[in-house]
Amino acid sequence: MRSVAAQAGVGERTIYRHFHSREGLLRATADRIGPMVLVPVCDSVDELENYAGDLFNRFESHRELTIALARSNWAATLPATAPPGTAAGPGPGSMSTALRDRYPTAPVGTLRSAALNLGTVLSPAGWVHQRISLGLEQPDVIDNARWLVRTVIKSLE
């Protein structure tokens, strides 16, 4: 909070008066930046392939912010405008539920693994790893994510 106040050119008490706590500041910041880097939740498992492209194109258009999010714990505080589970991508909770609803006879462990893999790839960190760390071009990153979605869905059918 002290650093934020210094950067803003105001006293620390002013920051606390407006946000009340560090968590309040993080929530307000997440509410503001979430819509910049996230896209609306896809309605079904069938839409995940298109969602991957939309999400990664949003990440690309806000490259520096996405990189900063991926390297911080802020992704967990983003508003729920991303796929079920976490704000940054489909997480093990809601994504597992969505997959279980779609594939009720699939083994629980398989559903959990599917949700975890999708959540890892469809996240700021997944995009940064492929796009920045590995140096892949944006179309290749999208193709990789779509391939994983197809592979996961096929494995559950």
Side-chain angles (χ1 to χ4, degrees):
M1 297 294 270
R2 185 174 299 127
S3 176
V4 171
Q7 290 290 321
V10 299
E12 190 174 348
R13 291 174 79 173
T14 301
I15 299 294
Y16 275 106
R17 195 174 306 125
H18 188 69
F19 298 106
H20 305 291
S21 67
R22 180 179 182 271
E23 290 72 30
L25 174 62
L26 288 174
R27 170 58 47 208
T29 303
D31 289 347
R32 174 86 183 223
I33 65 175
M36 292 181 200
V37 294
L38 302 175
V39 295
V41 177
C42 54
D43 291 329
S44 73
V45 172
D46 295 329
E47 297 173 13
L48 276 175
E49 245 187 280
N50 290 332
Y51 177 82
D54 295 343
L55 182 66
F56 285 177
N57 284 328
R58 182 69 61 92
F59 289 167
E60 182 73 23
S61 67
H62 297 281
R63 181 185 188 95
E64 295 305 316
L65 181 56
T66 302
I67 292 168
L69 284 171
R71 294 183 176 154
S72 74
N73 63 353
W74 281 34
T77 66
L78 290 171
T81 57
T86 67
S94 296
M95 181 52 74
S96 290
T97 301
L99 292 171
R100 186 175 50 249
D101 290 348
R102 174 72 188 273
Y103 305 103
T105 61
V108 172
T110 301
L111 291 170
R112 179 166 170 67
S113 293
L116 288 170
N117 280 286
L118 289 171
T120 299
V121 170
L122 298 176
S123 70
W127 179 84
V128 166
H129 175 68
Q130 292 184 69
R131 185 76 174 94
I132 309 304
S133 300
L134 298 178
L136 298 177
E137 295 297 322
Q138 179 73 354
D140 295 329
V141 174
I142 293 170
D143 286 346
N144 287 340
R146 288 179 172 164
W147 176 86
L148 179 66
V149 169
R150 285 190 305 273
T151 302
V152 165
I153 289 172
K154 186 176 181 176
S155 74
L156 296 172
E157 292 177 341

PDB file of all heavy atoms in Angstrom, residues 81-122:
ATOM      1  N   THR A  81     -15.161 -13.169 -15.540  1.00  0.00           N
ATOM      2  CA  THR A  81     -15.560 -12.938 -16.921  1.00  0.00           C
ATOM      3  C   THR A  81     -14.880 -13.937 -17.836  1.00  0.00           C
ATOM      4  O   THR A  81     -15.009 -13.871 -19.023  1.00  0.00           O
ATOM      5  CB  THR A  81     -15.204 -11.507 -17.371  1.00  0.00           C
ATOM      6  OG1 THR A  81     -13.801 -11.299 -17.192  1.00  0.00           O
ATOM      7  CG2 THR A  81     -15.986 -10.477 -16.597  1.00  0.00           C
ATOM      8  N   ALA A  82     -14.137 -14.837 -17.245  1.00  0.00           N
ATOM      9  CA  ALA A  82     -13.442 -15.870 -17.990  1.00  0.00           C
ATOM     10  C   ALA A  82     -14.223 -17.168 -17.870  1.00  0.00           C
ATOM     11  O   ALA A  82     -15.295 -17.191 -17.294  1.00  0.00           O
ATOM     12  CB  ALA A  82     -12.034 -16.021 -17.431  1.00  0.00           C
ATOM     13  N   PRO A  83     -13.669 -18.263 -18.414  1.00  0.00           N
ATOM     14  CA  PRO A  83     -14.394 -19.526 -18.343  1.00  0.00           C
ATOM     15  C   PRO A  83     -14.640 -19.953 -16.904  1.00  0.00           C
ATOM     16  O   PRO A  83     -14.004 -19.453 -15.993  1.00  0.00           O
ATOM     17  CB  PRO A  83     -13.456 -20.525 -19.024  1.00  0.00           C
ATOM     18  CG  PRO A  83     -12.483 -19.727 -19.766  1.00  0.00           C
ATOM     19  CD  PRO A  83     -12.408 -18.385 -19.096  1.00  0.00           C
ATOM     20  N   PRO A  84     -15.526 -20.911 -16.712  1.00  0.00           N
ATOM     21  CA  PRO A  84     -15.811 -21.391 -15.369  1.00  0.00           C
ATOM     22  C   PRO A  84     -14.543 -21.834 -14.663  1.00  0.00           C
ATOM     23  O   PRO A  84     -13.643 -22.350 -15.274  1.00  0.00           O
ATOM     24  CB  PRO A  84     -16.732 -22.586 -15.613  1.00  0.00           C
ATOM     25  CG  PRO A  84     -17.321 -22.362 -16.950  1.00  0.00           C
ATOM     26  CD  PRO A  84     -16.280 -21.609 -17.741  1.00  0.00           C
ATOM     27  N   GLY A  85     -14.464 -21.612 -13.394  1.00  0.00           N
ATOM     28  CA  GLY A  85     -13.337 -22.084 -12.608  1.00  0.00           C
ATOM     29  C   GLY A  85     -12.552 -20.948 -12.022  1.00  0.00           C
ATOM     30  O   GLY A  85     -12.608 -20.673 -10.842  1.00  0.00           O
ATOM     31  N   THR A  86     -11.784 -20.261 -12.866  1.00  0.00           N
ATOM     32  CA  THR A  86     -11.042 -19.107 -12.405  1.00  0.00           C
ATOM     33  C   THR A  86     -11.240 -18.000 -13.402  1.00  0.00           C
ATOM     34  O   THR A  86     -11.668 -18.219 -14.518  1.00  0.00           O
ATOM     35  CB  THR A  86      -9.533 -19.394 -12.282  1.00  0.00           C
ATOM     36  OG1 THR A  86      -9.018 -19.608 -13.595  1.00  0.00           O
ATOM     37  CG2 THR A  86      -9.253 -20.589 -11.416  1.00  0.00           C
ATOM     38  N   ALA A  87     -10.862 -16.810 -13.004  1.00  0.00           N
ATOM     39  CA  ALA A  87     -11.019 -15.683 -13.903  1.00  0.00           C
ATOM     40  C   ALA A  87     -10.059 -15.766 -15.070  1.00  0.00           C
ATOM     41  O   ALA A  87     -10.325 -15.230 -16.117  1.00  0.00           O
ATOM     42  CB  ALA A  87     -10.816 -14.387 -13.143  1.00  0.00           C
ATOM     43  N   ALA A  88      -8.926 -16.393 -14.887  1.00  0.00           N
ATOM     44  CA  ALA A  88      -7.946 -16.445 -15.930  1.00  0.00           C
ATOM     45  C   ALA A  88      -8.103 -17.621 -16.856  1.00  0.00           C
ATOM     46  O   ALA A  88      -7.508 -17.668 -17.906  1.00  0.00           O
ATOM     47  CB  ALA A  88      -6.553 -16.469 -15.332  1.00  0.00           C
ATOM     48  N   GLY A  89      -8.882 -18.561 -16.515  1.00  0.00           N
ATOM     49  CA  GLY A  89      -9.082 -19.720 -17.350  1.00  0.00           C
ATOM     50  C   GLY A  89      -9.894 -20.764 -16.651  1.00  0.00           C
ATOM     51  O   GLY A  89     -10.163 -20.638 -15.473  1.00  0.00           O
ATOM     52  N   PRO A  90     -10.298 -21.799 -17.361  1.00  0.00           N
ATOM     53  CA  PRO A  90     -11.132 -22.818 -16.738  1.00  0.00           C
ATOM     54  C   PRO A  90     -10.358 -23.528 -15.641  1.00  0.00           C
ATOM     55  O   PRO A  90      -9.276 -24.014 -15.879  1.00  0.00           O
ATOM     56  CB  PRO A  90     -11.454 -23.776 -17.878  1.00  0.00           C
ATOM     57  CG  PRO A  90     -10.865 -23.210 -19.093  1.00  0.00           C
ATOM     58  CD  PRO A  90     -10.009 -22.043 -18.730  1.00  0.00           C
ATOM     59  N   GLY A  91     -10.872 -23.531 -14.470  1.00  0.00           N
ATOM     60  CA  GLY A  91     -10.183 -24.154 -13.352  1.00  0.00           C
ATOM     61  C   GLY A  91     -10.720 -25.525 -13.049  1.00  0.00           C
ATOM     62  O   GLY A  91     -11.647 -26.000 -13.688  1.00  0.00           O
ATOM     63  N   PRO A  92     -10.125 -26.171 -12.073  1.00  0.00           N
ATOM     64  CA  PRO A  92     -10.518 -27.539 -11.758  1.00  0.00           C
ATOM     65  C   PRO A  92     -11.917 -27.658 -11.177  1.00  0.00           C
ATOM     66  O   PRO A  92     -12.547 -28.683 -11.308  1.00  0.00           O
ATOM     67  CB  PRO A  92      -9.465 -27.978 -10.749  1.00  0.00           C
ATOM     68  CG  PRO A  92      -8.927 -26.721 -10.174  1.00  0.00           C
ATOM     69  CD  PRO A  92      -9.040 -25.687 -11.256  1.00  0.00           C
ATOM     70  N   GLY A  93     -12.443 -26.612 -10.573  1.00  0.00           N
ATOM     71  CA  GLY A  93     -13.760 -26.690  -9.949  1.00  0.00           C
ATOM     72  C   GLY A  93     -14.894 -26.664 -10.957  1.00  0.00           C
ATOM     73  O   GLY A  93     -15.498 -27.682 -11.278  1.00  0.00           O
ATOM     74  N   SER A  94     -15.187 -25.510 -11.463  1.00  0.00           N
ATOM     75  CA  SER A  94     -16.313 -25.357 -12.376  1.00  0.00           C
ATOM     76  C   SER A  94     -16.103 -26.078 -13.697  1.00  0.00           C
ATOM     77  O   SER A  94     -17.040 -26.583 -14.281  1.00  0.00           O
ATOM     78  CB  SER A  94     -16.578 -23.877 -12.630  1.00  0.00           C
ATOM     79  OG  SER A  94     -16.962 -23.250 -11.444  1.00  0.00           O
ATOM     80  N   MET A  95     -14.874 -26.082 -14.195  1.00  0.00           N
ATOM     81  CA  MET A  95     -14.620 -26.777 -15.450  1.00  0.00           C
ATOM     82  C   MET A  95     -14.858 -28.265 -15.258  1.00  0.00           C
ATOM     83  O   MET A  95     -15.432 -28.915 -16.127  1.00  0.00           O
ATOM     84  CB  MET A  95     -13.203 -26.514 -15.957  1.00  0.00           C
ATOM     85  CG  MET A  95     -12.910 -27.197 -17.284  1.00  0.00           C
ATOM     86  SD  MET A  95     -14.099 -26.887 -18.612  1.00  0.00           S
ATOM     87  CE  MET A  95     -13.694 -25.223 -19.037  1.00  0.00           C
ATOM     88  N   SER A  96     -14.448 -28.816 -14.121  1.00  0.00           N
ATOM     89  CA  SER A  96     -14.729 -30.222 -13.848  1.00  0.00           C
ATOM     90  C   SER A  96     -16.225 -30.473 -13.844  1.00  0.00           C
ATOM     91  O   SER A  96     -16.693 -31.477 -14.385  1.00  0.00           O
ATOM     92  CB  SER A  96     -14.147 -30.645 -12.493  1.00  0.00           C
ATOM     93  OG  SER A  96     -12.754 -30.694 -12.547  1.00  0.00           O
ATOM     94  N   THR A  97     -16.969 -29.546 -13.270  1.00  0.00           N
ATOM     95  CA  THR A  97     -18.429 -29.679 -13.243  1.00  0.00           C
ATOM     96  C   THR A  97     -18.998 -29.636 -14.648  1.00  0.00           C
ATOM     97  O   THR A  97     -19.841 -30.464 -15.015  1.00  0.00           O
ATOM     98  CB  THR A  97     -19.050 -28.559 -12.380  1.00  0.00           C
ATOM     99  OG1 THR A  97     -18.505 -28.664 -11.059  1.00  0.00           O
ATOM    100  CG2 THR A  97     -20.554 -28.671 -12.327  1.00  0.00           C
ATOM    101  N   ALA A  98     -18.535 -28.687 -15.447  1.00  0.00           N
ATOM    102  CA  ALA A  98     -19.023 -28.583 -16.826  1.00  0.00           C
ATOM    103  C   ALA A  98     -18.691 -29.840 -17.619  1.00  0.00           C
ATOM    104  O   ALA A  98     -19.536 -30.358 -18.363  1.00  0.00           O
ATOM    105  CB  ALA A  98     -18.426 -27.349 -17.502  1.00  0.00           C
ATOM    106  N   LEU A  99     -17.471 -30.338 -17.439  1.00  0.00           N
ATOM    107  CA  LEU A  99     -17.081 -31.557 -18.150  1.00  0.00           C
ATOM    108  C   LEU A  99     -17.875 -32.759 -17.651  1.00  0.00           C
ATOM    109  O   LEU A  99     -18.313 -33.601 -18.440  1.00  0.00           O
ATOM    110  CB  LEU A  99     -15.582 -31.802 -18.002  1.00  0.00           C
ATOM    111  CG  LEU A  99     -14.670 -30.806 -18.715  1.00  0.00           C
ATOM    112  CD1 LEU A  99     -13.218 -31.035 -18.307  1.00  0.00           C
ATOM    113  CD2 LEU A  99     -14.832 -30.879 -20.219  1.00  0.00           C
ATOM    114  N   ARG A 100     -18.083 -32.845 -16.338  1.00  0.00           N
ATOM    115  CA  ARG A 100     -18.847 -33.963 -15.767  1.00  0.00           C
ATOM    116  C   ARG A 100     -20.292 -33.928 -16.260  1.00  0.00           C
ATOM    117  O   ARG A 100     -20.875 -34.965 -16.569  1.00  0.00           O
ATOM    118  CB  ARG A 100     -18.788 -33.928 -14.241  1.00  0.00           C
ATOM    119  CG  ARG A 100     -19.432 -35.140 -13.584  1.00  0.00           C
ATOM    120  CD  ARG A 100     -19.274 -35.169 -12.067  1.00  0.00           C
ATOM    121  NE  ARG A 100     -19.664 -33.921 -11.422  1.00  0.00           N
ATOM    122  CZ  ARG A 100     -18.810 -33.074 -10.835  1.00  0.00           C
ATOM    123  NH1 ARG A 100     -17.531 -33.335 -10.807  1.00  0.00           N
ATOM    124  NH2 ARG A 100     -19.260 -31.976 -10.268  1.00  0.00           N
ATOM    125  N   ASP A 101     -20.864 -32.731 -16.346  1.00  0.00           N
ATOM    126  CA  ASP A 101     -22.230 -32.619 -16.853  1.00  0.00           C
ATOM    127  C   ASP A 101     -22.313 -33.083 -18.303  1.00  0.00           C
ATOM    128  O   ASP A 101     -23.286 -33.709 -18.705  1.00  0.00           O
ATOM    129  CB  ASP A 101     -22.723 -31.172 -16.754  1.00  0.00           C
ATOM    130  CG  ASP A 101     -22.963 -30.737 -15.329  1.00  0.00           C
ATOM    131  OD1 ASP A 101     -22.975 -31.601 -14.419  1.00  0.00           O
ATOM    132  OD2 ASP A 101     -23.122 -29.512 -15.111  1.00  0.00           O
ATOM    133  N   ARG A 102     -21.290 -32.774 -19.076  1.00  0.00           N
ATOM    134  CA  ARG A 102     -21.287 -33.152 -20.495  1.00  0.00           C
ATOM    135  C   ARG A 102     -20.919 -34.617 -20.685  1.00  0.00           C
ATOM    136  O   ARG A 102     -21.419 -35.287 -21.578  1.00  0.00           O
ATOM    137  CB  ARG A 102     -20.309 -32.254 -21.237  1.00  0.00           C
ATOM    138  CG  ARG A 102     -20.086 -32.621 -22.678  1.00  0.00           C
ATOM    139  CD  ARG A 102     -21.301 -32.282 -23.539  1.00  0.00           C
ATOM    140  NE  ARG A 102     -21.169 -32.790 -24.865  1.00  0.00           N
ATOM    141  CZ  ARG A 102     -20.571 -32.156 -25.854  1.00  0.00           C
ATOM    142  NH1 ARG A 102     -20.066 -30.966 -25.663  1.00  0.00           N
ATOM    143  NH2 ARG A 102     -20.481 -32.713 -27.031  1.00  0.00           N
ATOM    144  N   TYR A 103     -20.013 -35.126 -19.847  1.00  0.00           N
ATOM    145  CA  TYR A 103     -19.520 -36.501 -19.965  1.00  0.00           C
ATOM    146  C   TYR A 103     -19.718 -37.230 -18.635  1.00  0.00           C
ATOM    147  O   TYR A 103     -18.751 -37.537 -17.928  1.00  0.00           O
ATOM    148  CB  TYR A 103     -18.044 -36.510 -20.377  1.00  0.00           C
ATOM    149  CG  TYR A 103     -17.793 -35.739 -21.640  1.00  0.00           C
ATOM    150  CD1 TYR A 103     -17.232 -34.466 -21.604  1.00  0.00           C
ATOM    151  CD2 TYR A 103     -18.147 -36.263 -22.871  1.00  0.00           C
ATOM    152  CE1 TYR A 103     -17.018 -33.741 -22.758  1.00  0.00           C
ATOM    153  CE2 TYR A 103     -17.942 -35.544 -24.034  1.00  0.00           C
ATOM    154  CZ  TYR A 103     -17.379 -34.285 -23.975  1.00  0.00           C
ATOM    155  OH  TYR A 103     -17.174 -33.563 -25.124  1.00  0.00           O
ATOM    156  N   PRO A 104     -20.951 -37.541 -18.271  1.00  0.00           N
ATOM    157  CA  PRO A 104     -21.236 -38.096 -16.938  1.00  0.00           C
ATOM    158  C   PRO A 104     -20.635 -39.477 -16.675  1.00  0.00           C
ATOM    159  O   PRO A 104     -20.475 -39.854 -15.519  1.00  0.00           O
ATOM    160  CB  PRO A 104     -22.763 -38.138 -16.890  1.00  0.00           C
ATOM    161  CG  PRO A 104     -23.201 -38.132 -18.310  1.00  0.00           C
ATOM    162  CD  PRO A 104     -22.156 -37.375 -19.071  1.00  0.00           C
ATOM    163  N   THR A 105     -20.273 -40.210 -17.705  1.00  0.00           N
ATOM    164  CA  THR A 105     -19.724 -41.549 -17.488  1.00  0.00           C
ATOM    165  C   THR A 105     -18.201 -41.570 -17.446  1.00  0.00           C
ATOM    166  O   THR A 105     -17.611 -42.607 -17.188  1.00  0.00           O
ATOM    167  CB  THR A 105     -20.218 -42.520 -18.578  1.00  0.00           C
ATOM    168  OG1 THR A 105     -19.771 -42.049 -19.857  1.00  0.00           O
ATOM    169  CG2 THR A 105     -21.733 -42.647 -18.551  1.00  0.00           C
ATOM    170  N   ALA A 106     -17.567 -40.416 -17.684  1.00  0.00           N
ATOM    171  CA  ALA A 106     -16.102 -40.364 -17.649  1.00  0.00           C
ATOM    172  C   ALA A 106     -15.615 -40.500 -16.211  1.00  0.00           C
ATOM    173  O   ALA A 106     -16.248 -40.003 -15.281  1.00  0.00           O
ATOM    174  CB  ALA A 106     -15.610 -39.055 -18.254  1.00  0.00           C
ATOM    175  N   PRO A 107     -14.474 -41.157 -16.006  1.00  0.00           N
ATOM    176  CA  PRO A 107     -13.920 -41.293 -14.651  1.00  0.00           C
ATOM    177  C   PRO A 107     -13.602 -39.925 -14.039  1.00  0.00           C
ATOM    178  O   PRO A 107     -13.144 -39.012 -14.726  1.00  0.00           O
ATOM    179  CB  PRO A 107     -12.641 -42.098 -14.870  1.00  0.00           C
ATOM    180  CG  PRO A 107     -12.809 -42.767 -16.195  1.00  0.00           C
ATOM    181  CD  PRO A 107     -13.680 -41.866 -17.006  1.00  0.00           C
ATOM    182  N   VAL A 108     -13.829 -39.809 -12.751  1.00  0.00           N
ATOM    183  CA  VAL A 108     -13.618 -38.545 -12.042  1.00  0.00           C
ATOM    184  C   VAL A 108     -12.181 -38.051 -12.208  1.00  0.00           C
ATOM    185  O   VAL A 108     -11.946 -36.866 -12.449  1.00  0.00           O
ATOM    186  CB  VAL A 108     -13.988 -38.693 -10.553  1.00  0.00           C
ATOM    187  CG1 VAL A 108     -13.603 -37.454  -9.767  1.00  0.00           C
ATOM    188  CG2 VAL A 108     -15.466 -38.985 -10.400  1.00  0.00           C
ATOM    189  N   GLY A 109     -11.214 -38.939 -12.087  1.00  0.00           N
ATOM    190  CA  GLY A 109      -9.810 -38.543 -12.233  1.00  0.00           C
ATOM    191  C   GLY A 109      -9.504 -38.002 -13.618  1.00  0.00           C
ATOM    192  O   GLY A 109      -8.730 -37.057 -13.775  1.00  0.00           O
ATOM    193  N   THR A 110     -10.112 -38.600 -14.625  1.00  0.00           N
ATOM    194  CA  THR A 110      -9.918 -38.135 -15.995  1.00  0.00           C
ATOM    195  C   THR A 110     -10.525 -36.747 -16.173  1.00  0.00           C
ATOM    196  O   THR A 110      -9.922 -35.870 -16.801  1.00  0.00           O
ATOM    197  CB  THR A 110     -10.555 -39.128 -16.993  1.00  0.00           C
ATOM    198  OG1 THR A 110      -9.937 -40.405 -16.803  1.00  0.00           O
ATOM    199  CG2 THR A 110     -10.371 -38.678 -18.424  1.00  0.00           C
ATOM    200  N   LEU A 111     -11.703 -36.535 -15.614  1.00  0.00           N
ATOM    201  CA  LEU A 111     -12.341 -35.217 -15.692  1.00  0.00           C
ATOM    202  C   LEU A 111     -11.486 -34.161 -14.997  1.00  0.00           C
ATOM    203  O   LEU A 111     -11.321 -33.053 -15.500  1.00  0.00           O
ATOM    204  CB  LEU A 111     -13.737 -35.257 -15.064  1.00  0.00           C
ATOM    205  CG  LEU A 111     -14.783 -36.063 -15.831  1.00  0.00           C
ATOM    206  CD1 LEU A 111     -16.040 -36.221 -14.988  1.00  0.00           C
ATOM    207  CD2 LEU A 111     -15.098 -35.393 -17.164  1.00  0.00           C
ATOM    208  N   ARG A 112     -10.949 -34.508 -13.843  1.00  0.00           N
ATOM    209  CA  ARG A 112     -10.104 -33.558 -13.109  1.00  0.00           C
ATOM    210  C   ARG A 112      -8.848 -33.231 -13.904  1.00  0.00           C
ATOM    211  O   ARG A 112      -8.467 -32.063 -14.019  1.00  0.00           O
ATOM    212  CB  ARG A 112      -9.750 -34.119 -11.737  1.00  0.00           C
ATOM    213  CG  ARG A 112      -8.863 -33.192 -10.930  1.00  0.00           C
ATOM    214  CD  ARG A 112      -8.793 -33.579  -9.469  1.00  0.00           C
ATOM    215  NE  ARG A 112      -7.788 -32.871  -8.738  1.00  0.00           N
ATOM    216  CZ  ARG A 112      -7.788 -31.572  -8.462  1.00  0.00           C
ATOM    217  NH1 ARG A 112      -8.770 -30.833  -8.888  1.00  0.00           N
ATOM    218  NH2 ARG A 112      -6.821 -31.018  -7.768  1.00  0.00           N
ATOM    219  N   SER A 113      -8.205 -34.238 -14.464  1.00  0.00           N
ATOM    220  CA  SER A 113      -7.005 -34.002 -15.278  1.00  0.00           C
ATOM    221  C   SER A 113      -7.327 -33.139 -16.491  1.00  0.00           C
ATOM    222  O   SER A 113      -6.568 -32.234 -16.848  1.00  0.00           O
ATOM    223  CB  SER A 113      -6.397 -35.328 -15.737  1.00  0.00           C
ATOM    224  OG  SER A 113      -5.885 -36.034 -14.645  1.00  0.00           O
ATOM    225  N   ALA A 114      -8.460 -33.412 -17.112  1.00  0.00           N
ATOM    226  CA  ALA A 114      -8.882 -32.621 -18.274  1.00  0.00           C
ATOM    227  C   ALA A 114      -9.068 -31.161 -17.879  1.00  0.00           C
ATOM    228  O   ALA A 114      -8.587 -30.248 -18.558  1.00  0.00           O
ATOM    229  CB  ALA A 114     -10.169 -33.193 -18.856  1.00  0.00           C
ATOM    230  N   ALA A 115      -9.751 -30.927 -16.766  1.00  0.00           N
ATOM    231  CA  ALA A 115     -10.003 -29.558 -16.302  1.00  0.00           C
ATOM    232  C   ALA A 115      -8.694 -28.850 -15.943  1.00  0.00           C
ATOM    233  O   ALA A 115      -8.507 -27.676 -16.279  1.00  0.00           O
ATOM    234  CB  ALA A 115     -10.949 -29.575 -15.109  1.00  0.00           C
ATOM    235  N   LEU A 116      -7.802 -29.550 -15.284  1.00  0.00           N
ATOM    236  CA  LEU A 116      -6.523 -28.938 -14.905  1.00  0.00           C
ATOM    237  C   LEU A 116      -5.690 -28.573 -16.127  1.00  0.00           C
ATOM    238  O   LEU A 116      -5.088 -27.493 -16.194  1.00  0.00           O
ATOM    239  CB  LEU A 116      -5.736 -29.871 -13.986  1.00  0.00           C
ATOM    240  CG  LEU A 116      -6.295 -30.011 -12.571  1.00  0.00           C
ATOM    241  CD1 LEU A 116      -5.593 -31.142 -11.830  1.00  0.00           C
ATOM    242  CD2 LEU A 116      -6.166 -28.708 -11.809  1.00  0.00           C
ATOM    243  N   ASN A 117      -5.644 -29.462 -17.108  1.00  0.00           N
ATOM    244  CA  ASN A 117      -4.881 -29.182 -18.321  1.00  0.00           C
ATOM    245  C   ASN A 117      -5.476 -28.019 -19.103  1.00  0.00           C
ATOM    246  O   ASN A 117      -4.751 -27.143 -19.575  1.00  0.00           O
ATOM    247  CB  ASN A 117      -4.777 -30.425 -19.201  1.00  0.00           C
ATOM    248  CG  ASN A 117      -3.699 -31.347 -18.709  1.00  0.00           C
ATOM    249  OD1 ASN A 117      -2.521 -31.067 -18.886  1.00  0.00           O
ATOM    250  ND2 ASN A 117      -4.086 -32.432 -18.066  1.00  0.00           N
ATOM    251  N   LEU A 118      -6.788 -28.000 -19.226  1.00  0.00           N
ATOM    252  CA  LEU A 118      -7.429 -26.882 -19.922  1.00  0.00           C
ATOM    253  C   LEU A 118      -7.194 -25.572 -19.171  1.00  0.00           C
ATOM    254  O   LEU A 118      -6.918 -24.536 -19.777  1.00  0.00           O
ATOM    255  CB  LEU A 118      -8.931 -27.141 -20.087  1.00  0.00           C
ATOM    256  CG  LEU A 118      -9.299 -28.228 -21.090  1.00  0.00           C
ATOM    257  CD1 LEU A 118     -10.791 -28.535 -21.008  1.00  0.00           C
ATOM    258  CD2 LEU A 118      -8.906 -27.825 -22.505  1.00  0.00           C
ATOM    259  N   GLY A 119      -7.299 -25.630 -17.858  1.00  0.00           N
ATOM    260  CA  GLY A 119      -7.090 -24.428 -17.049  1.00  0.00           C
ATOM    261  C   GLY A 119      -5.677 -23.894 -17.152  1.00  0.00           C
ATOM    262  O   GLY A 119      -5.456 -22.681 -17.112  1.00  0.00           O
ATOM    263  N   THR A 120      -4.713 -24.771 -17.297  1.00  0.00           N
ATOM    264  CA  THR A 120      -3.324 -24.344 -17.433  1.00  0.00           C
ATOM    265  C   THR A 120      -3.079 -23.688 -18.783  1.00  0.00           C
ATOM    266  O   THR A 120      -2.485 -22.621 -18.874  1.00  0.00           O
ATOM    267  CB  THR A 120      -2.372 -25.545 -17.253  1.00  0.00           C
ATOM    268  OG1 THR A 120      -2.564 -26.075 -15.943  1.00  0.00           O
ATOM    269  CG2 THR A 120      -0.925 -25.147 -17.435  1.00  0.00           C
ATOM    270  N   VAL A 121      -3.565 -24.322 -19.820  1.00  0.00           N
ATOM    271  CA  VAL A 121      -3.333 -23.796 -21.165  1.00  0.00           C
ATOM    272  C   VAL A 121      -4.122 -22.516 -21.412  1.00  0.00           C
ATOM    273  O   VAL A 121      -3.600 -21.554 -21.964  1.00  0.00           O
ATOM    274  CB  VAL A 121      -3.654 -24.863 -22.236  1.00  0.00           C
ATOM    275  CG1 VAL A 121      -3.649 -24.270 -23.624  1.00  0.00           C
ATOM    276  CG2 VAL A 121      -2.643 -25.986 -22.142  1.00  0.00           C
ATOM    277  N   LEU A 122      -5.382 -22.484 -20.988  1.00  0.00           N
ATOM    278  CA  LEU A 122      -6.241 -21.320 -21.241  1.00  0.00           C
ATOM    279  C   LEU A 122      -6.127 -20.306 -20.102  1.00  0.00           C
ATOM    280  O   LEU A 122      -7.111 -19.941 -19.465  1.00  0.00           O
ATOM    281  CB  LEU A 122      -7.687 -21.777 -21.425  1.00  0.00           C
ATOM    282  CG  LEU A 122      -7.932 -22.712 -22.598  1.00  0.00           C
ATOM    283  CD1 LEU A 122      -9.382 -23.172 -22.616  1.00  0.00           C
ATOM    284  CD2 LEU A 122      -7.552 -22.059 -23.917  1.00  0.00           C
TER     285      LEU A 122
END
